[in-house]
Amino acid sequence: MYITITPQKLGNNYSQSSADFVGYLEKENQGLEQHDMEHFFNQYGDEISAEEVVKEIDGNTAKLKKKEPKFYSITVSPSKYELRKLQNNSQDLKSYTRELMKDYVASFNREINGRPITIDDIKYYAKIEHQRTFKGTDKQIKENQPFATKILQLKTDIRNIQEGRAEGNIKKMKKEIAKLERQAPHQQNGKRIVQGMRKDGNQSHIHIIVSRKDASNSVSLSPGSKHKASEVEMHGKNVKRGFDRDKFFEKAEKTFDKTFGYKRNFAETYKARKDFVKNPKLYFAALMKLPANEKALAFKMITKTGLPIVPSIPVSQAQIALRVFKRLRRGAEVAIKSSSIGI
């Protein structure tokens, strides 16, 4: 489970409206029949139009400054192991979203009118997507890039020869291109993985757009706050503030496990990923203490996810493996950042 919370992009090149982001989330519906489309939904409603989402989010920004985000984007990406527990991806993820947003409001350390925040105090809309494409930041694209660069240069050389600007053996160059295509380390269905290529397998995930202001358009609720459980004086009263990120991510996992009867392995937990970065010795000690079956599954999962480890390392060689973990710690920071605003 990877969860990201991202503020609205602001600046000269970005609109103050949510329209661009909502339009982006509509991309999978292009060319589909009405009954095949995935619609926006919230805690109580289904089949909400994109126009209504934009109207509600853009109209709920009272007293926010131009440079302040008007909404936050939450992306929830279950792992392939988690997705296997679902019976109906769309309906199950929709049900999970509604429980997840209860965890979201419970993670705010503040009150409204002297009471805890409830699900009815926030304004959010969500959408299920089933496709993902490879991006320039993906490992597969980065590691295929040297081959892509050589292929592009060869294609440029061929074009120059064909247009009379250069001389050379086009047949030989085409053979070299074919060779490079095969040699690229990351392939999918016999083809070199390139940016924009659709990823194979079950890619279902959740996009949530949540207003910065509460449903009454009077209270600002920022999940980006770095204050966990502090108090400030407002209007002569002490009020709680802040958003507990760790609490939210941990509750998100527990809610998924409870909802779908999922038995989460140590390697999948948010706490384990955090410990890997913050305290690799503690992480490794906990990993080595797992029962044999759980440990084997943990190592299998680790090799398939963002947490780096060399799969050929024997589990018994603790000291060697620990040194490897330390060397790879910096790379793991990317994985932990992908599941939080920042630790």
Side-chain angles (χ1 to χ4, degrees), residues 232-239:
V232 293
E233 186 174 324
M234 293 180 66
H235 309 298
K237 295 181 180 180
N238 287 334
V239 295

Side-chain angles (χ1 to χ4, degrees), residues 39-49 52-53 56-57 93-99 101-102 119-120 122-128 207-210 215:
H39 299 280
F40 284 97
F41 63 93
N42 59 18
Q43 200 68 17
Y44 305 110
D46 294 298
E47 296 193 13
I48 299 171
S49 71
E52 182 178 345
V53 174
E56 290 295 323
I57 295 294
L93 289 178
K94 188 179 290 187
S95 299
Y96 172 63
T97 300
R98 287 168 171 154
E99 294 304 311
M101 295 312 285
K102 294 177 184 177
I119 191 65
D120 294 326
I122 65 168
K123 187 183 287 287
Y124 84 87
Y125 298 91
K127 198 166 188 289
I128 310 300
H207 283 290
I208 305 166
I209 179 170
V210 56

Side-chain angles (χ1 to χ4, degrees), residues 33-307:
E33 296 294 333
Q34 182 71 20
H35 62 272
D36 292 326
M37 292 182 179
E38 288 285 1
H39 299 280
F40 284 97
F41 63 93
N42 59 18
Q43 200 68 17
Y44 305 110
D46 294 298
E47 296 193 13
I48 299 171
S49 71
E51 291 76 17
E52 182 178 345
V53 174
V54 173
K55 178 183 176 183
E56 290 295 323
I57 295 294
D58 287 358
N60 204 58
T61 60
K63 296 183 180 180
L64 288 177
K65 298 176 182 178
K66 190 174 182 180
K67 293 185 178 180
E68 290 182 303
K70 312 304 185 294
F71 63 86
Y72 285 84
S73 163
I74 304 175
T75 305
V76 184
S77 303
S79 70
K80 66 177 184 180
Y81 301 99
E82 291 166 323
L83 288 172
R84 287 173 186 167
K85 288 294 291 183
L86 307 184
Q87 300 298 315
N88 181 310
N89 281 9
S90 293
Q91 289 304 317
D92 288 348
L93 289 178
K94 188 179 290 187
S95 299
Y96 172 63
T97 300
R98 287 168 171 154
E99 294 304 311
L100 175 72
M101 295 312 285
K102 294 177 184 177
D103 296 333
Y104 175 80
V105 297
S107 300
F108 280 99
N109 292 301
R110 68 172 301 174
E111 297 177 344
I112 295 180
N113 298 325
R115 59 169 175 76
I117 299 171
T118 71
I119 191 65
D120 294 326
D121 289 316
I122 65 168
K123 187 183 287 287
Y124 84 87
Y125 298 91
K127 198 166 188 289
I128 310 300
E129 289 194 336
H130 302 287
Q131 300 171 8
R132 284 191 184 279
T133 57
F134 287 99
K135 299 178 181 178
T137 53
D138 287 333
K139 172 186 174 183
Q140 295 90 335
I141 301 300
K142 288 181 176 179
E143 294 185 357
N144 274 358
Q145 189 55 49
F147 296 84
T149 301
K150 291 177 182 178
I151 290 170
L152 180 60
Q153 183 58 55
L154 283 166
K155 288 182 177 180
T156 300
D157 292 343
I158 289 174
R159 189 164 59 252
N160 287 334
I161 293 169
Q162 290 173 333
E163 295 177 0
R165 291 191 296 269
E167 295 182 356
N169 190 327
I170 292 179
K171 187 176 180 180
K172 184 178 179 181
M173 289 178 178
K174 287 184 176 180
K175 283 186 178 181
E176 181 62 21
I177 289 174
K179 181 181 177 183
L180 288 168
E181 291 283 6
R182 293 192 301 270
Q183 288 179 339
H186 298 286
Q187 306 274 332
Q188 182 173 277
N189 299 325
K191 294 183 178 181
R192 170 174 60 93
I193 291 177
V194 297
Q195 194 166 337
M197 180 184 285
R198 187 179 295 181
K199 293 182 179 181
D200 270 354
N202 191 341
Q203 301 293 335
S204 296
H205 57 286
I206 309 160
H207 283 290
I208 305 166
I209 179 170
V210 56
S211 176
R212 167 74 174 266
K213 299 300 289 283
D214 76 327
S216 71
N217 203 11
S218 58
V219 179
S220 179
L221 298 172
S222 170
S225 174
K226 292 182 180 179
H227 303 284
K228 272 196 174 182
S230 58
E231 289 190 354
V232 293
E233 186 174 324
M234 293 180 66
H235 309 298
K237 295 181 180 180
N238 287 334
V239 295
K240 291 182 179 180
R241 65 174 183 179
F243 182 80
D244 193 330
R245 298 185 296 270
D246 290 345
K247 179 180 178 180
F248 176 54
F249 294 124
E250 288 171 359
K251 284 177 72 71
E253 291 180 345
K254 290 178 181 177
T255 295
F256 186 93
D257 299 348
K258 180 181 178 181
T259 302
F260 302 110
Y262 185 71
K263 294 183 179 179
R264 187 170 302 278
N265 185 274
F266 168 81
E268 296 178 276
T269 63
Y270 169 71
K271 183 181 183 304
R273 296 197 297 274
K274 185 177 177 182
D275 284 344
F276 187 90
V277 173
K278 293 285 186 178
N279 192 338
K281 287 185 179 179
L282 179 65
Y283 172 89
F284 187 74
L287 180 63
M288 299 306 293
K289 288 178 183 177
L290 293 175
N293 289 344
E294 288 185 40
K295 183 166 25 179
L297 179 58
F299 271 77
K300 180 181 178 181
M301 286 180 166
I302 289 169
T303 60
K304 301 286 186 182
T305 60
L307 288 180

